[in-house]
Amino acid sequence: MWTLTENSFDPSSQHHKETIFTIGNGYLSTRGAFEEGYPGESRATFVHGVFDDAPVVFTELVNAPDWLSMQVLLNGEKFSLASGEILDYLRELDLRTGLLTRRVRWQSPSGQVATIQFERFASLADQHLLALRCQVWPEFDGQIEIRAALNGHADNQGLAHWNHVTQRQENRDTVGLQTRTRSSGIHLALAMRLPGTNSPEPDYWDTENIPTLRQVFPAHNGQPITLVKFVGIATSRDTDQPLEKALVHAARPESWEAALEAHRQAWEQEWERCEVSIEGDEEAEIALRFSLFQLLIAAPRHDKRVNIGAKTLSGFGYRGHAFWDTEIFMLPVFTYTAPHIARNLLDYRHLTLPAAREKARQAGFEGAWFAWESADTGEEVTPTWVPDFHDKKKLARVWTGDLAIHISADVAYAAWQYWRATGDDAWFTESGAELVLDTAKFFASRAEWQPERGCYAYSDVIGPDEYHDHNDNNAYTNRLAQWNIQTGLQTLNWLEKNQPEKATELAGTLDLTPERLSKWQDVAEKICLHIDPTGLIEQFDGFFALKDVNLADYEPRTKSMHEIFGVEAANQYQVLKQPDVLMVQYLLHDEYTDEQIRVNYDYYTPRTDHTYGSSLGPSIQAIVACLMGDVDEAYEHFIRAARADLRDVRGNAGDGIHAASAGGIWQALVFGFGGLRIHPDGQWETHPRLPKHWKSLTFRFTLRGQQHLVRLENR
Ligand code: BGC
């Protein structure tokens, strides 16, 4: 199955549907708001890298001027789903081609009936091109008027980021608009062209900041009229002349059909690389393709200066900031299906090393400490205060920007994984090695020797389970920090053998003196790891002494345990927002025996807030359940992840796609149910554990430049 369908319009799920009907092309995305608008809509287009920090404290991705705007008037009455009567309604997103179609048979308040269809796509063949087609089948005689506009009055939920720069009519069928962000000074231009030599002459309305072309068509009962709108888009991040560039792209397509065909072919190639199918489970299959689609439309193909935000480009949530969600959840999808995209994303981290070094330096450490929330420059943009759940008049302190140090190891892990999977020695030598070494340097400098315990500690941190802050010796952080330092030493060895000049260069620039390296060795050997003889790992110092809770006592519930207990009090309970010990056992699973994983799985699973905790959790939980051979339980977690956006399980899908969950779903499928294991020498095998009702699972992945198609059948 490839199509997401909506058969009726329900205004109460408007924002959710806007998110899931988002289209995009890796340069920008546009939420599924209606061309003609609707009261209360959360209309938005986000363009990668277009951030601005006025009037907010921390920079945010800016809602771009609106390219969609189109009003249809039937004998003078404006089409709107907020008036008249909807006689028939269908909205479909074809995931195979990224074409969004909405067809409505509508009766105006005075009784004019027409079927109105809108189709739109963001071209994957030309990232600076957007296309919209409107067709109207009138059931009356008279006149149909269409007003197509570019609207510069876009804002971020009330916060205005744009200053008008210029607008003009280029020629009979083309107009342009240019605006500039208030503080970051990024220019963005849109050019709109309404092709079609047979259509009536358009009128140009030079409304300030909303250049509009209006066309009036005679209406004859049963005879359709068609209007195509091509929009070119460019910013000063791409060129010095964004309006000229936007005009060139708007002028390029010969026809709707030609533009759509080029776009279709580009999508065909995308899907070929990451083919997936599940026979016997339509819900899982569509969720999986939907997740891949959402990641693919957010993935920068031609820009190394941007990352993918936790909500992709599909909503206002988290202000477009990127987290560890990219490296640990989304990146594996790209590493194994579209390595060029993975490399771009890792290059973003490489480019933001100066900011990461500055963050470490300001905190009194060496090396690179990446921002927990990262935007254009890589500086820390995590808000320090946010409104409290219980009382919006109060503020709650957010500690992740100050304490979540594991992000540096997550970046190093992803760089290493990319290198192992691709064999891209040139990239590793040029950029990856520096990422691994400078993060190792950070962890070695951040470690504190604890003489009474005889080990190195990381005190005052936050691990993946964010229900607990200010922890000492978080298991995930400590183990990944150790891995990072060990891998740093291995990297240096590899460079010395294979790229001695680079080894010398990096030893110089990063000041990797023998004393420093022997400290790395010492930290790596003596890091505090709390593993009891059964293999049970304490999540952090004192976790087992916290109050225990039986989560079943709180059922049925519709809130997270964080909301139920309150931010401060949640710290006192053994309740996890998302896997923490299990997370590290997944990432480094070759280093643990099945028994060691089992004992932790049995301990932490009942203490995790699977339903309303973090959306990052269920897919990882599913993978670990697969490792344990608990396929039914794995499926339960997997389907919870699969429904996160499509069924809006947490009620916040309107803020944007849960991108980490989308990446996690693919990982659950390939590494969990498919049981794909990749060995350091590049050999691979599968240990399938398919749910009983699946007939087969098929997926394609790329390893060291070679594509492999895996088909696993349930016998
Ligand atoms: C999760 C983090 C995640 C962030 C962005 C939080 O709720 O706990 O792990 O990085 O959301 O998705």
Side-chain angles (χ1 to χ4, degrees):
M1 236 176 89
W2 285 96
T3 310
L4 278 192
T5 306
E6 182 190 45
N7 289 311
S8 63
F9 173 59
D10 173 3
S12 69
S13 60
Q14 184 189 6
H15 293 168
H16 167 221
K17 293 296 165 59
E18 284 171 355
T19 297
I20 67 167
F21 287 117
T22 295
I23 56 155
N25 61 2
Y27 177 82
L28 56 64
S29 287
T30 296
R31 287 170 59 78
F34 297 153
E35 286 73 3
E36 71 282 7
Y38 191 85
E41 66 187 355
S42 182
R43 188 179 192 89
T45 290
F46 295 105
V47 181
H48 261 312
V50 179
F51 281 96
D52 189 47
D53 59 4
V56 281
V57 178
F58 289 110
T59 199
E60 67 181 353
L61 201 57
V62 180
N63 180 13
D66 181 34
W67 66 276
L68 284 180
S69 177
M70 193 175 273
Q71 304 296 332
V72 178
L73 289 85
L74 309 179
N75 277 342
E77 274 181 301
K78 219 182 235 184
F79 165 65
S80 161
L81 296 189
S83 66
E85 200 183 334
I86 302 173
L87 305 174
D88 232 329
Y89 178 94
L90 179 69
R91 179 154 55 162
E92 286 182 334
L93 175 60
D94 182 352
L95 299 171
R96 203 193 302 247
T97 60
L99 180 70
L100 179 66
T101 307
R102 177 170 54 116
R103 188 163 53 247
V104 186
R105 186 161 172 262
W106 182 74
Q107 179 169 314
S108 73
S110 78
Q112 315 288 346
V113 175
T115 296
I116 300 163
Q117 175 171 292
F118 292 100
E119 294 160 283
R120 68 172 85 143
F121 63 92
S123 174
L124 198 66
D126 173 358
Q127 61 169 356
H128 298 284
L129 176 68
L130 305 159
L132 171 60
R133 177 164 78 168
C134 173
Q135 287 177 286
V136 184
W137 288 264
E139 295 180 28
F140 60 88
D141 292 330
Q143 142 183 325
I144 297 169
E145 177 183 334
I146 300 186
R147 300 174 189 167
L150 301 172
N151 187 349
H153 294 290
D155 61 38
N156 279 45
Q157 301 177 308
L159 301 176
H161 283 288
W162 295 106
N163 283 331
H164 178 78
V165 176
T166 185
Q167 70 188 52
R168 67 169 195 249
Q169 184 175 25
E170 182 67 8
N171 54 47
R172 149 184 204 279
D173 63 4
T174 304
V175 300
L177 168 71
Q178 185 162 331
T179 57
R180 190 186 61 221
T181 54
R182 285 168 55 190
S183 172
S184 55
I186 299 173
H187 286 252
L188 187 146
L190 294 174
M192 163 174 77
R193 177 168 71 101
L194 307 184
T197 36
N198 298 330
S199 344
E201 178 84 15
D203 298 333
Y204 174 49
W205 290 357
D206 192 23
T207 318
E208 178 75 355
N209 217 11
I210 317 180
T212 303
L213 288 173
R214 167 186 180 260
Q215 279 190 311
V216 180
F217 301 81
H220 303 291
N221 193 346
Q223 285 182 22
I225 63 117
T226 299
L227 187 84
V228 171
K229 171 176 174 180
F230 288 122
V231 177
I233 180 165
T235 77
S236 53
R237 297 182 70 258
D238 316 312
T239 166
D240 293 343
Q241 306 269 320
L243 186 51
E244 307 314 315
K245 186 168 170 71
L247 286 164
V248 167
H249 287 269
R252 227 171 239 176
E254 267 171 37
S255 63
W256 167 265
E257 287 74 18
L260 183 59
E261 186 49 31
H263 167 75
R264 263 204 193 112
Q265 283 177 17
W267 266 110
E268 205 173 298
Q269 284 174 19
E270 292 289 303
W271 282 117
E272 214 261 329
R273 287 195 320 259
C274 59
E275 176 178 349
V276 274
S277 64
I278 302 170
E279 270 182 306
D281 192 339
E282 277 192 357
E283 183 182 9
E285 185 180 76
I286 192 94
L288 186 69
R289 289 179 176 158
F290 172 74
S291 299
L292 282 169
F293 176 81
Q294 290 297 340
L295 294 177
L296 288 170
I297 65 173
R301 287 161 181 74
H302 309 286
D303 195 346
K304 299 171 175 210
R305 298 163 296 162
V306 298
N307 200 330
I308 302 179
K311 301 285 183 186
T312 64
L313 296 171
S314 63
F316 291 96
Y318 289 126
R319 299 177 189 275
H321 299 171
F323 297 65
W324 72 315
D325 303 36
T326 304
E327 281 73 20
I328 298 298
F329 294 83
M330 301 179 228
L331 225 102
V333 181
F334 298 121
T335 293
Y336 290 107
T337 65
H340 56 293
I341 293 175
R343 195 179 52 222
N344 278 350
L345 290 165
L346 288 165
D347 278 338
Y348 162 87
R349 292 295 190 181
H350 190 251
L351 288 169
T352 56
L353 266 174
R357 287 182 181 135
E358 185 53 22
K359 178 171 172 172
R361 199 191 62 76
Q362 282 191 7
F365 304 111
E366 299 177 342
W369 177 9
F370 283 100
W372 179 249
E373 293 189 27
S374 196
D376 43 0
T377 61
E379 281 162 79
E380 185 56 75
V381 290
T382 305
T384 31
W385 297 92
V386 294
D388 190 89
F389 315 116
H390 292 284
D391 180 353
K392 299 276 180 221
K393 282 183 247 130
K394 289 201 182 124
L395 292 174
R397 180 71 163 84
V398 178
W399 289 106
T400 35
D402 306 75
L403 308 180
I405 61 172
H406 68 83
I407 176 75
S408 280
D410 304 329
V411 171
Y413 181 91
W416 187 259
Q417 188 182 45
Y418 167 82
W419 183 41
R420 300 322 265 187
T422 57
D424 188 349
D425 291 353
W427 178 83
F428 191 71
T429 306
E430 202 39 52
S431 311
E434 193 173 5
L435 283 174
V436 174
L437 289 167
D438 221 11
T439 47
K441 188 174 170 189
F442 167 69
F443 284 111
S445 89
R446 173 66 163 78
E448 307 135 50
W449 178 246
Q450 296 214 324
E452 67 291 357
R453 290 167 74 175
C455 61
Y456 283 96
Y458 290 103
S459 54
D460 206 15
V461 302
I462 299 186
D465 161 27
E466 294 172 6
Y467 282 177
H468 299 93
D469 47 46
H470 297 293
N471 313 142
D472 295 339
N473 292 314
N474 164 255
Y476 177 93
T477 306
N478 285 27
R479 182 64 192 94
L480 269 202
Q482 181 189 42
W483 172 90
N484 198 159
I485 299 171
Q486 288 164 337
T487 308
L489 291 166
Q490 230 177 304
T491 297
L492 209 53
N493 265 336
W494 183 85
L495 285 176
E496 276 159 5
K497 272 200 209 103
N498 300 285
Q499 302 285 343
E501 277 175 24
K502 190 71 184 179
T504 313
E505 181 198 317
L506 287 175
T509 50
L510 303 180
D511 197 22
L512 304 179
T513 57
E515 300 72 54
R516 180 168 271 116
L517 295 176
S518 88
K519 162 99 186 285
W520 289 21
Q521 196 78 50
D522 201 44
V523 176
E525 278 166 19
K526 299 181 192 143
I527 220 147
C528 305
L529 298 172
H530 346 239
I531 308 182
D532 83 1
T534 64
L536 184 64
I537 301 174
E538 188 172 29
Q539 190 177 298
F540 53 78
D541 289 352
F543 182 85
F544 292 150
L546 299 178
K547 288 182 235 173
D548 214 354
V549 158
N550 180 11
L551 286 179
D553 295 345
Y554 293 83
E555 298 296 347
R557 64 186 164 99
T558 52
K559 287 182 178 161
S560 72
M561 294 310 291
H562 214 208
E563 278 182 86
I564 292 172
F565 290 147
V567 175
E568 292 303 324
N571 271 290
Q572 294 154 23
Y573 293 89
Q574 290 194 45
V575 179
L576 284 67
K577 182 178 186 187
Q578 64 208 81
D580 196 304
V581 170
L582 296 183
M583 189 77 218
V584 75
Q585 291 194 314
Y586 164 50
L587 295 183
L588 302 178
H589 62 87
D590 285 344
E591 298 183 15
Y592 298 93
T593 62
D594 284 354
E595 292 70 37
Q596 284 168 334
I597 300 179
R598 164 63 73 188
V599 75
N600 288 288
Y601 182 81
D602 288 347
Y603 190 84
Y604 289 106
T605 300
R607 292 173 173 81
T608 304
D609 188 356
H610 303 293
T611 7
Y612 296 105
S614 170
S615 65
L616 281 65
S619 54
I620 302 303
Q621 205 53 57
I623 298 172
V624 182
C626 281
L627 293 175
M628 297 293 87
D630 292 347
V631 179
D632 292 344
E633 213 168 299
Y635 188 77
E636 209 181 287
H637 294 295
F638 166 79
I639 206 71
R640 189 173 283 131
R643 290 174 181 165
D645 287 315
L646 288 173
R647 296 211 187 169
D648 196 9
V649 173
R650 286 175 179 72
N652 63 358
D655 297 340
I657 289 295
H658 293 88
S661 174
I665 292 170
W666 183 90
Q667 293 190 55
L669 210 95
V670 170
F671 300 120
F673 298 117
L676 177 66
R677 288 269 181 119
I678 291 163
H679 300 290
D681 60 3
Q683 298 296 310
W684 60 273
E685 74 223 9
T686 53
H687 299 270
R689 301 166 195 92
L690 302 193
K692 282 192 260 341
H693 63 290
W694 290 9
K695 285 206 194 76
S696 72
L697 164 65
T698 304
F699 60 88
R700 194 188 294 275
F701 71 100
T702 298
L703 192 60
R704 308 210 172 169
Q706 255 203 314
Q707 287 192 358
H708 303 278
L709 184 69
V710 177
R711 182 178 158 84
L712 304 166
E713 290 184 7
N714 229 345
R715 288 173 210 278

